[in-house]
């Protein structure tokens, strides 16, 4: 192995004093120096020969952080060193790293060091764990996922969280918008102050202003005493406007004033008050369509959507259903009960379209847990839980759209459901060892229906 270049002693001393994990790399991905924070987090990965420092120095960054024999860009991931080598600039990516606590999401910032001749000889890499309780493996709480769509979304959260920018979370019902709002807040400089949620869809127009801005004594019938509003409670922290598309049009202008000037008045007061807060909003509606229809102010839309983040539906998060199912099962069937999912049950769960997303998955798992008397959930329990659900209404209305779905959309949804059902059947068939009659009973269908579907699949 080629001899390691000697890093400048001053640089090594500087890195040692930094609180976050830092390493010094050469252009061959080899670790030349690691500060104490890095050694504490990753040093145990390589054994103890030569002490904690010796366990990482001389090894490649991808071997220590990913347990991989090739660099990230050769393993299908983005590599900050390769990107910085090509651009000559600082690069930042989100990676899953192996740590003493297991796998964790880590934000990587890598900067090339250029000498007086303009040559890049070293790279400094900084690792910052995301303060959002987001883990790629099942846990009791927090954001969970490893799919590319999930990681793309989480990378945007990591970028915008430390800023002051207003964030607009866009996604279908049940995709976890409130969890992501908490992640944005926890990753900000306001994390020690309050995150105040406002459910805009549940507040009647007559009470919306007083709930948001507060009111003075005698401002209206029943106002027996002065009361601060939710804006005042969020001062110094984050105001989370959930379902912002449901805010009444007459009140949108008052919200706009708050966002533009940081000032507001309680109902029944002439005193101008100030609030230092960050706004994170969320909606399942298409605000651009609402702006075009005159049902949402265009200026308010642009004020709220400084940094929009799309939350992917569960059907676009390949492989995340299994991770979510194991974590959610702990919540719906807490200890001392311990439930496991069989391979066939998991395959059947992964094959569902989940129009209600993670919320629907949780409900399905709770029904399944109640229907299982043993310690292992089988495909038959999942089938029974699925059969408990109500059939979809013909010509169902898209939530929040106000218009029936087109025949093309319904046909597309039907084709998608049929494809997913076929995949579930093939997976169940691959794991089944008994007769076809037993398989039909396991799937909750008749033998005639099973033979008909197998024939259609060419099995």
């Amino acid at each position: 192995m080629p001899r390691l270049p000697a890093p400048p002693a001053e640089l090594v001393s500087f890195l040692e004093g930094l609180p976050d994990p830092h390493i010094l790399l050469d252009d061959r991905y080899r670790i030349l120096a690691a500060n104490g924070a890095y050694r504490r987090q990753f040093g145990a990965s390589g054994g103890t020969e030569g002490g904690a420092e010796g366990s990482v120095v001389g090894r490649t960054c991808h071997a220590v952080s990913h347990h991989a024999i090739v660099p990230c860009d050769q393993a299908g991931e983005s590599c900050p060193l390769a990107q910085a080598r090509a651009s000559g600039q600082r690069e930042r990516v989100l990676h899953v790293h192996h740590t003493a606590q297991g796998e964790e999401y880590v934000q990587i910032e890598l900067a090339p060091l250029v000498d007086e001749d303009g040559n890049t000889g070293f790279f400094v890499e900084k690792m910052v764990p995301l303060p959002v309780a987001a883990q790629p493996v099942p846990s009791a709480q927090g954001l969970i996922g490893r799919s590319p769509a999930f990681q793309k979304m989480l990378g945007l959260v990591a970028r915008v969280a430390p800023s002051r920018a207003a964030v607009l979370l866009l996604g279908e019902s049940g995709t976890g918008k409130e969890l992501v709002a908490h992640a944005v807040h926890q990753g900000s400089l306001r994390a020690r102050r309050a995150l105040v949620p406002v459910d805009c869809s549940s507040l009647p127009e007559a009470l919306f202003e007083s709930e948001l801005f507060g009111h003075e004594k005698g401002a209206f019938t029943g106002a027996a005493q002065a009361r601060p509003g939710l804006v005042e409670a969020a001062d110094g922290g984050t105001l989370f406007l959930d379902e912002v598309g449901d805010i009444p049009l007459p009140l949108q202008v008052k919200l706009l004033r708050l966002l533009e000037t940081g000032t507001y008045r309680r109902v029944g007061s002439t005193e101008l008050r100030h609030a230092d807060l960050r706004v994170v909003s969320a909606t399942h509606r298409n605000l651009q369509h609402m702006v075009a229809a005159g049902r949402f102010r265009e200026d308010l839309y642009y004020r709220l959507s400084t940094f929009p983040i799309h939350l992917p539906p569960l059907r676009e998060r390949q492989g995340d259903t299994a991770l979510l199912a194991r974590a959610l099962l702990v919540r719906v069937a807490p200890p001392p009960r311990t439930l496991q999912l069989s391979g066939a049950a998991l395959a059947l769960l992964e094959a569902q379209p989940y129009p209600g997303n993670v919320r629907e998955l949780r409900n399905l798992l709770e029904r399944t847990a109640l229907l299982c008397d043993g310690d292992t959930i089988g495909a038959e329990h999942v089938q029974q839980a699925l059969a408990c659900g109500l059939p979809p209404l013909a010509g169902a209305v898209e939530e929040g759209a106000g218009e029936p779905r087109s025949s093309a959309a319904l046909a597309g949804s039907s084709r998608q459901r049929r494809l997913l059902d076929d995949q579930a059947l093939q997976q169940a068939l691959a794991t089944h060892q008994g007769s076809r009659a037993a398989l039909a009973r396991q799937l909750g269908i008749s033998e005639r229906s099973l033979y008909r579907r197998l024939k259609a699949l060419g099995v």
Side-chain angles (χ1 to χ4, degrees), residues 198-204 208 240-248:
V198 182
D199 187 357
C200 301
S201 61
S202 67
L203 290 175
F208 194 98
F240 174 47
L241 300 173
D242 196 11
E243 294 303 345
V244 71
D246 292 338
I247 295 179

Side-chain angles (χ1 to χ4, degrees), residues 184-302:
V184 172
H185 176 69
Q186 289 299 316
S188 73
L189 299 176
R190 301 170 178 268
R192 294 186 177 182
R193 303 300 294 269
L195 170 73
V196 179
V198 182
D199 187 357
C200 301
S201 61
S202 67
L203 290 175
E205 183 173 346
L207 296 178
F208 194 98
E209 185 177 3
S210 64
E211 286 291 320
L212 197 61
F213 301 120
H215 61 258
E216 297 294 343
K217 180 179 179 180
F220 50 84
T221 303
Q225 59 185 8
R227 179 184 173 190
L230 297 174
V231 167
E232 198 165 336
D235 190 21
T238 303
L239 185 70
F240 174 47
L241 300 173
D242 196 11
E243 294 303 345
V244 71
D246 292 338
I247 295 179
L249 194 59
L251 296 175
Q252 291 178 18
V253 65
K254 296 186 178 182
L255 177 60
L256 179 64
R257 168 177 282 276
L258 171 68
L259 298 180
E260 289 186 334
T261 67
T263 61
Y264 67 98
R265 288 185 176 90
R266 287 182 178 180
V267 176
S269 173
T270 58
E271 179 187 354
L272 198 64
R273 294 174 177 267
H274 294 264
D276 171 29
L277 48 79
R278 183 196 197 167
V279 172
V280 177
S281 51
T283 184
H284 70 278
R285 299 183 184 276
N286 190 320
L287 293 186
Q288 290 179 317
H289 288 176
M290 294 180 66
V291 168
R295 292 185 287 122
F296 200 86
R297 291 182 63 99
E298 185 177 22
D299 46 8
L300 178 58
Y301 167 72
Y302 286 116

